[in-house]
Amino acid sequence: MQTNPKIQQQLEKWIEENRGHVILGTTAQYIPELGKADPSKLGICMLDEEGHYYCAGDTDIEFTLQSISKALTFIALSCHYGLDFVLERVDVEPTGEAFNSIIPFEIHRPNKPFNPFINAGAITISALLPGQTSQKKYEYLLHFLEELVGHPLEMNREVYDSEWKASHRNRALAYYLKEAKFLEIEVEEALDIYIRQCSIKVSTKDLALIGLIIAYDGYNPITKVKHFSEEIAQVAKVLMVTCGMYNSSGNFAAHVGIPAKSGVSGGIMAAVPPKLHSQTYEFRAGAGIGVYGPAIDVQGNSAAGTMMLRQISKEWDLSIF
Amino acid sequence: MQTNPKIQQQLEKWIEENRGHVILGTTAQYIPELGKADPSKLGICMLDEEGHYYCAGDTDIEFTLQSISKALTFIALSCHYGLDFVLERVDVEPTGEAFNSIIPFEIHRPNKPFNPFINAGAITISALLPGQTSQKKYEYLLHFLEELVGHPLEMNREVYDSEWKASHRNRALAYYLKEAKFLEIEVEEALDIYIRQCSIKVSTKDLALIGLIIAYDGYNPITKVKHFSEEIAQVAKVLMVTCGMYNSSGNFAAHVGIPAKSGVSGGIMAAVPPKLHSQTYEFRAGAGIGVYGPAIDVQGNSAAGTMMLRQISKEWDLSIF
Amino acid sequence: MQTNPKIQQQLEKWIEENRGHVILGTTAQYIPELGKADPSKLGICMLDEEGHYYCAGDTDIEFTLQSISKALTFIALSCHYGLDFVLERVDVEPTGEAFNSIIPFEIHRPNKPFNPFINAGAITISALLPGQTSQKKYEYLLHFLEELVGHPLEMNREVYDSEWKASHRNRALAYYLKEAKFLEIEVEEALDIYIRQCSIKVSTKDLALIGLIIAYDGYNPITKVKHFSEEIAQVAKVLMVTCGMYNSSGNFAAHVGIPAKSGVSGGIMAAVPPKLHSQTYEFRAGAGIGVYGPAIDVQGNSAAGTMMLRQISKEWDLSIF
Amino acid sequence: MQTNPKIQQQLEKWIEENRGHVILGTTAQYIPELGKADPSKLGICMLDEEGHYYCAGDTDIEFTLQSISKALTFIALSCHYGLDFVLERVDVEPTGEAFNSIIPFEIHRPNKPFNPFINAGAITISALLPGQTSQKKYEYLLHFLEELVGHPLEMNREVYDSEWKASHRNRALAYYLKEAKFLEIEVEEALDIYIRQCSIKVSTKDLALIGLIIAYDGYNPITKVKHFSEEIAQVAKVLMVTCGMYNSSGNFAAHVGIPAKSGVSGGIMAAVPPKLHSQTYEFRAGAGIGVYGPAIDVQGNSAAGTMMLRQISKEWDLSIF
């Protein structure tokens, strides 16, 4: 079957309509290498269950995963140790505090981080990845992701170095986790694996493909490969809905309604589950979406990307709600 | 078409299996009238889109809406003024703090309450109900609910009186809201309407019916009446998923995955949307669920009710995720 | 013995030098009646142990006690019930939070308010004043104060009414206290007595006299009357040093070093204990100080009054440290 | 002049009377080396202005300064750079939060730490000590202290190592400070100097002598040497009164009233200023006090030491209030 030219045209039209929204954000200045990105870029790739990619705008740029990696580490770790093991070490409750806040820990003294998408939870579970060293842990995750996307991946060394130097707040968090006995390995090791995973380079196509696999509950409908269990995919989608878009996750759920995870690099990975009763024809059998728009809003999400997804979801009835 | 006896038997079996879990909770002691409930009770009603009720356990008891009313006020208000009006006055972001916490307000000084399911947000929007007095506002809401359930409803006066006397914390919140200029009416009026709505008596059948209407995006598939817009229903479901079960909303989403709202009376209203690709036959076309189990856990949710819903969702593949 | 003309001249000079600092503050806008005060006013009265008053600047204006009353209620209550009774119901620990904050209560859930100079503690102890009604409690305090100053006192009704209407935040606090079981009487009664005490009219001369009595450990060296015990006076001075000047108490202690209590009306009452080893002759035998300067800084203290006291303390070596 | 045998006898009696209070505390378990101390020990040395030492109980034990060093670094730094320089970099406001809390920083985002006696403030100012390396900074402080006590001092290497390993929370704080740009040197350097200063070994005699010098506003009345300015001594005493005894500073001020700084090793350094109008003869011309009692209470202060100081202050009228 062929790609649908109407879908392609529509996406291109939406890219143009939403380009203006890039001025509602700026590139992430607190990580100098990310700050250098071109804030005017905006691109999207959508992938359907038959393997058709619909790409529009600036989709030839690679960017780093940043917080999108949090969802992927959660999945990789759950695959290896089982979901119960992971959920004993990190909760799945949303929190209204900032992603790097220590306040809820000091106030509530929880016995595990609130969820794997705040930095505290993400560092905690990254440190649990299989392997004796951060290098081994990183390789485990990288291999897992390469299996998903079907090609080699690598780290952006400049971004890694830039983040390593700018990671005082994450070090503060990690030492706090160490004090609370949530971290079993050394802090510097934990930060190394965490910052490595954040620095992995991907394209919007990669994100679309992983998003599709999550939408299909761990199953790649194109290659017919089952990568992870439905149970893991479901919890991943719950996390994406409740905590995936930083402190505007609720608004994203209300206005877009697609499980998604964003990163401060401006990437968004979204998983559109099949919706047989959809009111439109487009992507009724589900889709994966990769967005890139490095001008991020105050919450940390691609400003134009979020606006565009809102439009797309509305027009094509993609919300799970 | 007839009811399915297997479904009926299965529900009765699950009630028996989950009865033991009532010991994991206690009745709400801080509201004396609620504290008097019989903690050993457990009942469930499920309603399918054809109008078949499947009721098992203690379903002949009426109980008060309590926090379940928060979802209903949100819907009623959105119907009257439009969703935009409401979302300008209350946000839809989950918060990790307790439902009656003042901390996030003092720390973040938001320009509106975080969501309509924390008490601050609920009192704010109840005060906005149409009508010049709390009596009129209450009547508006009551009428709206009577339209949904198809029969007269009334308040439990003893519960109202008990809550009115025990509402120091809500008064503190309401005066805080007044100071922040979120409340346009007098605090005592706002509390009156809020406590009235909490004191409305319902049955598990009522909750199942309203749940079904929410699952059907505002449409009653039995009477063929459209009560509210799809847009409103979707935001209601988002709120139920992200904030509906107090501070275990994330866990409920992960393990049950059905939009739901609970109250400290032990009631739970759940909305099972149609899921044509469900792995099981039961309730593939959606359902509404009403649960009653007054022994609530530390989070405020029916202890046995939550456990039972987890089992039901798993067995019949009812999760939206 | 006569008054010392040099001291009088010096004070007048300092008033003129510090008048310009009134622009560093504004009158308390959140209580409309206080907001109407003339922000350019600045006056000071100092009283020595022989009964000589040295008054300079705008000392013919009466103003309301506001938070200065917190120190006086603490003393009156301790006189009646004993210090132990009071310290069982309110702690004496400084807190870095705002005087009207609920945060430390929610975070730490203390078994009593942190100190009697934050609003929570002040309302708690005002409610304990002897008397069955707020009227009786108020009369008790008023009588106690009239004994100290030696003449009748009365309330500023306009200020009382203005505060009563603007007291949403204090109502929030008081209901929170009621919930925490710190308040034995009704919230409205507690607020009535609290706002009454805040609305009592005094002059800088009155404050100077009460300050002198505190400096002399409860003894009036002029009338030779013992009003309260040394033990009570000492704790009062500790509170004035550690919490008397809102969130700049530490800076005031470091740069002025005189036990003092301020109010948002712009009044400051300061108690200069005898200091036989003082490096200067002036007020070596102690003094009481009353200041009035209604332009208050962001912390709530008279802007010019604080600057002037800093200068006076330095020049005449009045610090207790 | 000779020592007064009555004072000596009285101190020995009080030691015996207060020994039983050691059971109200335990040694600091979170630093293993400190945890090993003998919790039954209790000793006190008082030094008068003529050079007479009155020592009773277990005064032959050396222990580490721990938080007592915070007061000394503050003084040393102020001597070198001037008080203004230091007060631009650290505030002098008490806070009700724990000494190692990050909450007030996240909530209030102050432009400098609240005071030099919470860990955040202490690390900040230790990092400012003169010298290019932490070794040089440490030597500067050590030399300053040796000048005060008149004999060589050294570090307890085991305690240093134990604290270095157990310092996750301090590392978290220090990285937080680095992020906030309060720390100009590297975090590891800052922690090295901070933990070194905490690990300096002293005796109760040493603390008594330094306490006396502080009481005498930087002047040693025995050797007639002026070590630091009156201005610095006064701010040090303000800090000791408002924040010197962790979160029971207010109670200590109310019930003891002597400027003091404690450490989790169980040491307390207290400065009794001259009080010519004292109601008793003992130490009317001031004193320095060193206490050692390693069983510390929940606040972090020597349990028996605090009780004993309360008794001494009351009996000999040593309070500054």
Side-chain angles (χ1 to χ4, degrees), chain B residues 84-152:
Chain B
D84 289 348
F85 174 92
V86 178
L87 296 186
E88 276 166 23
R89 285 157 181 82
V90 68
D91 210 337
V92 290
E93 290 300 334
T95 151
E97 296 302 323
F99 65 95
N100 60 5
S101 179
I102 296 179
I103 286 181
F105 287 90
E106 265 204 63
I107 294 183
H108 301 291
R109 303 183 182 281
N111 60 357
K112 51 188 171 185
F114 291 90
N115 66 65
F117 287 8
I118 54 171
N119 287 14
I123 294 170
T124 298
I125 66 166
S126 295
L128 292 166
L129 279 166
Q132 286 300 312
T133 62
S134 56
Q135 172 67 23
K136 291 285 180 200
K137 289 169 189 290
Y138 167 68
E139 283 167 10
Y140 182 91
L141 178 66
L142 199 70
H143 181 71
F144 183 85
L145 298 182
E146 287 171 347
E147 290 285 311
L148 292 182
V149 300
H151 63 78

Side-chain angles (χ1 to χ4, degrees), chain D residues 146-165:
Chain D
E146 287 172 346
E147 290 284 311
L148 291 182
V149 300
H151 63 78
L153 292 169
E154 59 177 13
M155 216 168 78
N156 180 325
R157 193 76 214 180
E158 287 72 37
V159 169
Y160 174 89
D161 289 343
S162 186
E163 291 202 42
W164 182 261
K165 278 179 210 143

